[in-house]
Amino acid sequence: MATEHIVVVGAGQMGAGIAQVALQAGLRVSLVDVNKDGLAKGADRIKAGLKKLVEKGKLDAAKQQAAEANLATFTSAREAKDVDVAIEAVTENEDLKRRIFLELDEVVRPGGILATNTSSIPITRIAAATKRPEAVIGMHFMNPVPVMQLVELIRGAATSDETYATIRTMAERMGKTTVVSKDYPGFIVNRILIPMLNEACFALMEGLGTAEDIDTAMKLGTNQPMGPLQLADFIGLDTVLYIAEVLHKGLGDSKYRPCPLLRQYVDAGWYGKKSGRGFYKY
């Protein structure tokens, strides 16, 4: 199955990162975002990322030029033609994603694939909004995409073997290592990661240690590059809370209940690095 032309919907940090690694792999990419300013910033982020790789000697100038020539930007997915694969990378909002998939169902050629970068929303439910549920799959990249090696592949109830095999091959072409998860809340990474971050929030709330001591203890005691509270700030506390709520609701176990301190910070607008304040000030 051909995967030479992909559409990436969403030009934020994740979407731009996905587009960049696809371009580095020699794919033709149409980057789509309804926000013109956001689209321009996304394209600039991609070009800056490619330039940095050239400066580091990890990409030659000819491949940089070819990659930039393979990038097109649109404010509507309907403007893209002959699309083999669509990768949706917008905000974690199920209604929004389902609306986008309805549109992508009409944009991607017959036999093409619809992928979502969701970190928590059931693939089966997203697929049910389309006329081709067998061609829908989760393709969860890690942030920052150009640096992180992992891609979680999530098969919905109807995802075909051909769809899985094609997307796995495409991810490997992008230089990624893949793992496969069943379509259960949180998949693999967030099923394990979010409870850890949430427990760090409880530890802070209960006065077990300061934010700095909790993070230092986990970094040096478990050989992690970043402490859990700092990582939560980097992900976005609103996103951490949202996924914790998905786990709590989807699995029905009280051990996944979101920490009240985490909820309070989100209510205050303290989302972490992106807002200038979370468990730390930026």
Side-chain angles (χ1 to χ4, degrees):
M1 187 183 295
T3 58
E4 294 305 313
H5 180 204
I6 72 170
V7 163
V8 177
V9 181
Q13 187 170 0
M14 291 302 294
I18 293 167
Q20 180 183 322
V21 296
L23 290 165
Q24 288 170 216
L27 299 172
R28 188 159 58 94
V29 178
S30 293
L31 183 64
V32 176
D33 200 300
V34 294
N35 184 305
K36 288 184 178 180
D37 289 340
L39 185 60
K41 288 179 181 177
D44 288 344
R45 185 180 288 117
I46 292 167
K47 292 173 183 176
L50 294 171
K51 182 180 179 182
K52 188 177 293 184
L53 289 174
V54 173
E55 291 171 350
K56 291 182 176 180
K58 295 181 178 180
L59 186 72
D60 63 52
K63 287 186 177 179
Q64 175 196 14
Q65 293 173 0
E68 291 185 4
N70 276 334
L71 175 65
T73 58
F74 302 105
T75 53
S76 170
R78 295 186 184 279
E79 297 176 65
K81 306 298 179 185
D82 301 318
V83 178
D84 298 316
V85 177
I87 304 175
E88 167 273 314
V90 302
T91 305
E92 285 288 272
N93 179 297
E94 186 171 344
D95 289 339
L96 174 61
K97 289 181 186 290
R98 286 170 67 91
R99 288 199 302 273
I100 289 172
F101 268 73
L102 282 171
E103 181 178 0
L104 292 176
D105 208 5
E106 304 299 323
V107 172
V108 176
R109 64 169 179 76
I113 294 172
L114 309 177
T116 173
N117 184 54
T118 183
S119 59
S120 59
I121 298 171
I123 307 305
T124 301
R125 286 213 301 260
I126 294 174
T130 77
K131 298 173 184 175
R132 54 176 113 182
E134 73 286 348
V136 177
I137 190 168
M139 195 178 189
H140 181 210
F141 290 82
M142 304 296 120
N143 187 26
V145 179
V147 175
M148 299 294 280
Q149 190 176 358
L150 182 69
V151 174
E152 266 186 314
L153 300 181
I154 306 97
R155 299 184 64 157
T159 304
S160 70
D161 290 342
E162 184 181 15
T163 295
Y164 162 70
T166 300
I167 292 301
R168 178 179 176 177
T169 298
M170 188 177 80
E172 290 172 349
R173 180 175 171 180
M174 293 178 185
K176 303 302 181 183
T177 297
T178 64
V179 295
V180 186
S181 172
K182 290 186 176 180
D183 191 18
Y184 293 145
F187 315 136
I188 295 174
V189 172
N190 283 326
R191 173 71 177 268
I192 297 168
L193 175 64
I194 297 302
M196 184 187 75
L197 303 187
N198 193 47
E199 193 62 29
C201 296
F202 273 111
L204 181 65
M205 183 181 75
E206 294 166 8
L208 186 63
T210 64
E212 291 83 357
D213 281 349
I214 290 169
D215 278 351
T216 298
M218 291 304 292
K219 282 192 292 184
L220 301 184
T222 62
N223 199 30
Q224 297 182 37
M226 187 181 295
L229 297 174
Q230 184 185 7
L231 179 56
D233 273 357
F234 183 78
I235 293 170
L237 302 190
D238 52 337
T239 301
V240 173
L241 176 61
Y242 176 81
I243 300 172
E245 289 173 333
V246 167
L247 289 172
H248 190 210
K249 180 180 179 181
L251 297 170
D253 191 324
S254 62
K255 73 179 181 181
Y256 297 110
R257 71 198 186 285
C259 176
L261 182 64
L262 173 63
R263 194 180 298 280
Q264 184 183 60
Y265 275 38
V266 172
D267 287 343
W270 299 346
Y271 300 147
K273 189 174 181 180
K274 63 186 175 184
S275 69
R277 181 171 182 176
F279 293 112
Y280 298 92
K281 291 183 180 179
Y282 299 89

